[in-house]
Amino acid sequence: MKIVEPFCDCSDVLEDQCRLRARANSNGYLYFPRLLPADEVLQLRHEVLLIHEKHGLLREGSDPDAALHKEGVYVDVEYVKKPTPAVKVFYNKVLASRNFNAFFHHPIIINLIQVLLGRAILVHPRVICHIVFPRRFDHTVEPHQDFAPVRGTQNTWTVWIPLGDCNTDLGGIAVARGSNHLGFLNADSLAIGNGLADQTEWNWNPLTSGDVLMFHSLTVHQGCDNVTTDTIRLATSARYQPVREPVDKLALGPQRGWADWSELYADWAFDDPLKYYWNTLPLDVRKY
Ligand SMILES: O=C(O)CCC(=O)C(=O)O
């Protein structure tokens, strides 16, 4: 990542479908500062951090909202190859939260994606909580395109939302502007920093609670190091696509597959309409 410019603020095209789509196509991403009510984002952050606290991941006696990890304790949910039962129980608790799952159906996000894609959409049920512990630099997410793991239709957008303010030290994610025009690139080359021209413009800036960043499935992006000494970075992401275009079967299961939906839904109301909502949709499910 050499050339870094701030994200292009797209608030000016929010109400104009043509310009919104033109901006999305040209840059491969859209960034909306303070699009969501900050209090709703912070409430979800609080809930997720209470789960961290309950599972012994936070510094004893600290304010959970400060997200200070307990010294010597690290969890790398996205990288761990042989997770301990405790790690699985912890992450499944986050994925089982009804508020967590409902967050991805926020009307502001759904309306925005519908305007962008211009038709009925599917929210992939495989939603993610990105939990990035400080100074685990070998676990900072390498440059990649989400189409590699997500498959289905390339007409898929990821919405990435920081749970809390994300300053320079916490990092966040950076996006290679316009890389959506490069086609589907070799994932191994991308991961080691090849596949993009030297003059590629990366976009990044500190984020505030309520900011929303979304990018096309072919847009190259990467995590940025969390260089704080003690603070966990939290973010969410989910993927959205036209309901009738192909979707990978795996996108319909819980992230990491450490539980199935019936286990995650165990404490939900019997008739909760958010349960298995995708089963009533006319999906074209594929196995890749
Ligand atoms: O939150 C992060 O650190 C990385 C997220 C990411 O790369 C993604 O959502 O594809």
Side-chain angles (χ1 to χ4, degrees), residues 195-227:
L196 293 180
D198 285 349
Q199 64 271 28
T200 297
E201 179 188 306
W202 287 86
N203 289 172
W204 175 89
N205 51 245
L207 300 175
T208 305
S209 302
D211 288 5
V212 171
L213 178 66
M214 44 200 285
F215 42 88
H216 185 263
S217 71
L218 295 181
T219 302
V220 179
H221 57 287
Q222 67 170 73
C224 300
D225 287 339
N226 173 356
V227 302

Side-chain angles (χ1 to χ4, degrees), residues 130 132 141 144 146 160 173 221 233 237:
H130 301 281
V132 181
V141 177
H144 67 283
D146 274 3
W160 186 90
I173 60 173
H221 57 287
R233 177 172 93 228
S237 75

Side-chain angles (χ1 to χ4, degrees), residues 6 36 48 55 58 66 71 84-85 90 95 99 132 153 156 166 171 206 211 218 223 259 267 280:
L36 295 175
V48 169
H55 289 80
L58 299 187
E71 204 162 328
T84 61
F90 157 69
L95 296 185
N99 290 337
V132 181
T153 174
T156 296
C166 196
D211 288 5
L218 295 181
D267 294 333
T280 56

Side-chain angles (χ1 to χ4, degrees), residues 249-287:
K249 193 171 190 301
L250 288 176
L252 305 179
Q255 165 73 350
R256 299 301 326 245
W258 293 337
D260 60 28
W261 288 116
S262 65
E263 291 166 300
L264 296 183
Y265 289 155
D267 294 333
W268 292 33
F270 172 73
D271 54 355
D272 192 317
L274 198 54
K275 280 175 157 180
Y276 305 106
Y277 62 88
W278 59 95
N279 281 346
T280 56
L281 302 174
L283 302 182
D284 175 5
V285 182
R286 309 276 179 96
K287 266 186 165 176

